Each structure stands twice: as structure tokens, then as C-alpha cells.
Amino acid sequence: MGTVFSFDVRGSVTPAVTRALGDAVAWLHHVDSVFSTYRSDSQISRLGRGETTLPMCDPEVAEVLELCEDAAQVSGGWFTTAVGGRLDPSAMVKGWAVERASQLLYDAGARHHTVNGGGDIQCRGEAAPGRPWQIGIVHPLHRDDLATVVVGRDMAVATSGTAERGCHIVDPVTGGPATALASITLVGRHLTEVDALATAAFAMGDAARAWLRSVEGVEAFAVTTDDSAWWTPGFTTHRAGPQP
């Protein structure tokens, strides 16, 4: 998927958890082989070129594309799999894959852990007894600083922006790159949801501020290209440190 994944497991690591870590890594490699748009032989690349059909693909392909349709509907079309004239569900795949890997660990007994896929994180439990996870969000315009810190338990944190990959998110209205925001971070319970909606929100730009108020269970923090910030009303409950 063109990025780095990491696992942080707190507490005792039992043989079952060790096996689950191996299963989670194998799962992520499987997802990459099926969904990578960088691989011409992946199922999603072949499907996009019309060389195969959806029933001939692994069941996960239909699952992901259905989730993409749901995200497109919720976002009023701002989430899209039609990127540059080709099929690309990448904005859904990573969060979905990370959340599934996290569930493998949880089911094996690792009740307190994080799975980080390129900065998008699924957190379970807490960092230590009585101490929540603290996730620093790098400032997109001042890379040596943090824009904010997200604090919580059993949460998902996803950031979309230009800091790592430049202007890579498409505005589906204009067909050009989305440039109104420098970054937007969404916090919710499930990374599958917040990662996809973060992409849609970034494409919307400042219009996302009003839209996100209607999305239940999701809060947001955004940095604009002029180095100002805005956040949804409930985001203060997820933050540490002074108000920007």
C-alpha cells in the first residue's frame, strides 16, 4: 500500500497474540496483493481494466466497493473511487485493513494496542492502566511541531493532507487536486469510517466544517493553507493542551 505499518501491543504478549501478529502481517500483505493500484496484476487493477469481473475477485473486493458506495452516499459524492479515470478504492482500503488487523489482535487477547498504517491509527483499550492513548498530529505546515494531540480510549484517528504525498486527493467536482486545506484529522470509533470520511472532508475543504457536524460519532480538527485552524464542537473532548 505504499506506506509503513506498525503495531504497539501493551501488556503481556502471549503465544496467541504472537500468532495473531503474524496473521495480521499476512493479512496486510494479502490486502496489498489484492488492492494495490501500484501492481498491474492486483485484482483491483485487473478489475479496473476490465480483465476480470467482480464475482471472479476475492469476496473482500465486493465488500470494499460496497463500503465505498456507502461513503460516497454519506458524503454526497465527495468520496469517490474514480481517480484519474481509473478504479481506485485506496482511500477506503487502508483504514479497513488496519481495523481488521486490529480485530485479529483483540480477538487473540491483545485488548490494549494500536495498529498504525501510515499515520492512520486504530487504538484499542488504553496505553496503560488508567492512562489513555495520546496521538500527536504533526502540523502540516510546520513539520517539527504538533498541530494537536488526540487523547482517548478505543478510538480511531485518521489524517488526510498534503504533508506526506503532496496534492494527491482529487476534488471530484473540478477533477483537480483539493487544495483548500493543509490537513484534516477525524476521530471516531472505527478507522474504516474515519479514514474514508477524512478523504472526503479534505476534498470538500472548508465546507466540511458544516457537513461534519451532521456525522454522528465523528469529530474533526483541520488546518487550512493559511495556517489557521478549525474544529468541530466535540473535538475538545479528544484534545490535550491549549486551544489553538
Side-chain angles (χ1 to χ4, degrees):
M1 285 175 271
T3 192
V4 175
F5 291 78
S6 63
F7 303 85
D8 183 348
V9 179
R10 303 296 172 94
S12 60
V13 179
T14 65
V17 171
T18 299
R19 288 192 295 272
L21 280 167
D23 291 342
V25 172
W27 159 251
L28 293 172
H29 281 293
H30 168 72
V31 171
D32 188 59
S33 69
V34 171
F35 289 99
S36 175
T37 58
Y38 301 101
R39 300 172 61 155
S40 61
D41 61 343
S42 72
Q43 292 183 28
I44 204 69
S45 293
R46 295 179 63 237
L47 181 64
R49 294 194 301 267
E51 297 173 1
T52 189
T53 63
L54 192 57
M56 295 174 66
C57 295
D58 286 2
E60 293 93 345
V61 176
E63 178 184 348
V64 164
L65 293 181
E66 184 174 351
L67 289 169
C68 289
E69 291 180 6
D70 292 343
Q73 183 174 2
V74 168
S75 67
W78 286 95
F79 182 94
T80 179
T81 59
V83 180
R86 64 188 178 119
L87 177 64
D88 186 354
S90 299
M92 177 65 69
V93 169
K94 186 174 64 172
W96 167 81
V98 167
E99 186 174 354
R100 185 74 60 88
S102 172
Q103 191 64 45
L104 289 171
L105 295 178
Y106 187 86
D107 291 344
R111 299 306 171 91
H112 305 280
H113 69 262
T114 66
V115 183
N116 184 333
D120 297 326
I121 305 172
Q122 181 71 56
C123 303
R124 299 302 302 265
E126 53 190 5
R131 184 162 63 87
W133 294 102
Q134 298 186 53
I135 308 299
I137 308 301
V138 174
H139 198 295
L141 304 178
H142 311 287
R143 301 301 307 283
D144 292 333
D145 297 328
L146 294 180
T148 188
V149 177
V150 179
V151 180
R153 299 169 174 85
D154 287 315
M155 64 179 180
V157 183
T159 300
S160 288
T162 60
E164 294 292 336
R165 297 174 57 193
C167 297
H168 67 287
I169 298 175
V170 174
D171 179 335
V173 175
T174 66
T179 57
L181 297 178
S183 75
I184 187 164
T185 297
L186 265 58
V187 183
R189 178 62 184 82
H190 299 284
L191 192 59
T192 301
E193 176 186 30
V194 297
D195 193 19
L197 296 186
T199 301
F202 187 87
M204 286 185 197
D206 287 330
R209 188 173 189 174
W211 170 65
L212 285 166
R213 289 172 180 256
S214 69
V215 181
E216 186 176 355
V218 174
E219 302 295 340
F221 178 90
V223 178
T224 64
T225 52
D226 64 0
D227 206 0
S228 61
W230 57 259
W231 54 90
T232 55
F235 192 81
T236 55
T237 63
H238 295 283
R239 299 187 57 249
Q243 295 282 341

